[in-house]
Amino acid sequence: MDEGSVPVAEDPGRRRRVHGMLKLYYGLNEEGKAPEQPESLDPCDINGPHFDPELYLNKLRRECSLTELMDQETCMVRQIRSLDSDMQTLVYENYNKFISATDTIRKMKNDFKKMEDEMDCLSANMAAITEFSARISGTLQDQHAQITKLSGVHTLLRKLQFLFELPARLNKCLELQAYAQAVNTHRRARCVLQQYSHLPSFKGIQDDCHAIMDKLAQELRQKFRDGGSSAKDLSECVELLLQLDEPAEELCDKFLSHARSRLESDLQGLEAEIRPSLPSPASNTDILEFIDRGCNEFVSSLCLVITSYQELFINHAQKGELLHVFVDDLAARYFMLVERRIQEEKGVGDNSLLVRALDRFHRRLQAVAKLLPGSAVPNKGTEIVIRAATERVKQYLSALQSFYMDSLTDVRQALATPRLSVAGTSVAGLPELLSSLSASILNQIKSVLASVHLFTAKDITFSNKPYFKGEFCSQGVRESLVVSFIKFVCQSSRQFCETAGDKGGSTPPALLLLLSRLCLDYETSTISYILTLTDEQFLVQHHSPVTPVTTLCAEAREAAQKLLNHYVKVQGLIISQMLRKSVETRDWVNTIEPRNVRAVMKRVVEDTTSIDVQVGLLYEEGVRKAHSSDSSKRTFSVYSSSRQQARYAASYTPSAPMDTNLLSNIHKLFSERIDIFSSVEFNKVSVMTGIIKISLKTFLECVRLRTFGRYGLQQIQVDCHYLQMYLWRFVSDENLVHFLLDEIVGSAAHRCLDPAPMEQSVIEVICERG
């Protein structure tokens, strides 16, 4: 059995199978319990309780063949052997466990026997101790009463000894200036001396003590008058005098008087730090050191005075009113010095020192609010913090404005000394200048917002207060700084349009064009980006009315429109000035026969081309009407009025000089009206159309004021055809150029003494050669 058990113990899988077969044999489930099944009544059920072997064998013989009977026997023998083997294994395992349990029980029996012996011994010892304790108590009972009586007598003798030695103790304390100890010692014995003052011995002790305490009170009063001690010593002095029944009202006044002198000394020290800043600002301490000194000296001393006053005079009338007046008076002087020092912080560099100083100033004043509820000091201190932050925002706005104007100055210098130019007009670098200007302004705004954001940092105590953060973020930063700067950019840009003079004053036209594009970019994207950045960075909550984005965008678009209109006017007047001088300085009656295009017309075309390139650098092309196939070679009506005159010649006699003017006016009535100074759109074609309209209209008006000879009229024909060859490319509708040039030539023909027009073929040859 030992040899057969070894593989069983080493094979856990087989053990599980063996147990499973046994459970199956005995009809048990996995938990070791028989399943609740109805009992089988079949006598042939080998697992049932009513199994009958004879019936089972008869049934097998009757139903099975010999081979099946042998197989059944073989299977049954195998199952019996398997069950027998499993039973032997279980018996062996349970036998080992039984032996182990028997050893454990035997050991426990021995241990319990030993424990019982020890408990019996302990019980005997406890009984002996109880007996001895009872004997001792009985023996010492009488002595205990005597000891208690003697202890009481000893205590009484010590008290009497303390009373008899009291005058000597008080004198010793007086010599050592241990005033507090003397007062406490006298207070301990005062009631007893008062109670037994009818006895002569106690009466003498009481009189001696009174004399000593009177002397002590005189020394305390003298020390209090001198005021040379610290605030803590003075408080102790007042407290001792009050314990000696000195009048509280007098002590209160003297206490506040001494405290005022000390606090005024602290204020004078702070004022001395401000005064030297005028001759030598570099030697002045920074704002944080100044606030630290004020908090550590003045505010700390003030809090100590408030605490001492409340502890000393808390039970006396009018203490609150006197203390409030005292604190408010001195705090007002301290606040004045702090504001003077804050006003000296003019730089807009690093804000960290100022913010930390204001935070420390605000936090230390909260101690005054806790010590003296209802005081106006914390509120006034908060107002100083708010004013300082608001003033800082104003300084940053001024710095932004100065930076913007300096940037414009740099742009003007860059435009005055261009690296590349076309026909004398600076065009190179305009997109780069615009990009650089816009980026530098945006970076400066971000830098300023980052500096101002220190006022709203999480570790700054006053930044989380609703009376500061909401108003400061919405009205201070958003409105007073960002919105005000955007409005300043628009307003300062519009001021460039208010210069007088035919040439637009001293403002370069390229600067007008660049600023118009800058304002247009602000309207389309920059304003919205800046305000969104501000709202996100400062968590702006629009509790109070703020300027909407649409209003600022409308203002920026208005500025851009005004600048672009002014640019068109300035450029148109520059070209018009050349045309006007070319017409007014020439003798059109006695001129020679034209052989070339006048140089001024070439200059007009060159300048127009240069302007077209310049505008194209910043604005899109725009929409043009469809051009005709012969736009550059169109032969416009030289005699638009004269041709109509010939059409209606039969109705008029040659003796009617007004017929020509009448027909010309009728022709104008039916022609499309041209608005010369209308607003332009934000594209290159619209800008060029406006400039060319102004130029040609000026040319027309100048021609109407002159008288022409035959060759003068022909020269106008050549010039107009040359202009028509080039200018139609720049405008939105080529018919506009054709109409104005037609008017110019027609007006010259009306003003001609000998109207003999030049052949169109000759005009084309001259213009192509020119």
Side-chain angles (χ1 to χ4, degrees), residues 250-267:
E250 181 181 352
L251 289 176
C252 177
D253 294 337
K254 290 181 179 179
F255 178 80
L256 292 180
S257 176
H258 286 298
R260 181 181 293 274
S261 62
R262 291 182 173 279
L263 291 172
E264 286 179 348
S265 175
D266 293 338
L267 293 176

Side-chain angles (χ1 to χ4, degrees), residues 287 337-345 354 358 384 388:
I287 183 67
L337 295 176
V338 171
E339 287 202 274
R340 283 176 54 189
R341 182 63 184 84
I342 291 175
Q343 289 173 0
E344 294 180 2
E345 296 295 311
L354 176 63
L358 292 176
I384 291 177

Side-chain angles (χ1 to χ4, degrees), residues 498-545:
E498 298 172 359
T499 53
D502 293 339
K503 293 185 179 181
S506 59
T507 305
L511 180 62
L512 296 173
L513 184 66
L514 187 144
L515 288 178
S516 70
R517 184 67 206 192
L518 177 68
C519 291
L520 185 63
D521 290 342
Y522 267 58
E523 186 263 339
T524 54
S525 61
T526 308
I527 291 177
S528 177
Y529 171 75
I530 293 175
L531 291 181
T532 302
L533 178 67
T534 304
D535 292 345
E536 292 177 352
Q537 192 169 355
F538 289 86
L539 301 176
V540 177
Q541 297 178 356
H542 301 159
H543 296 304
S544 53

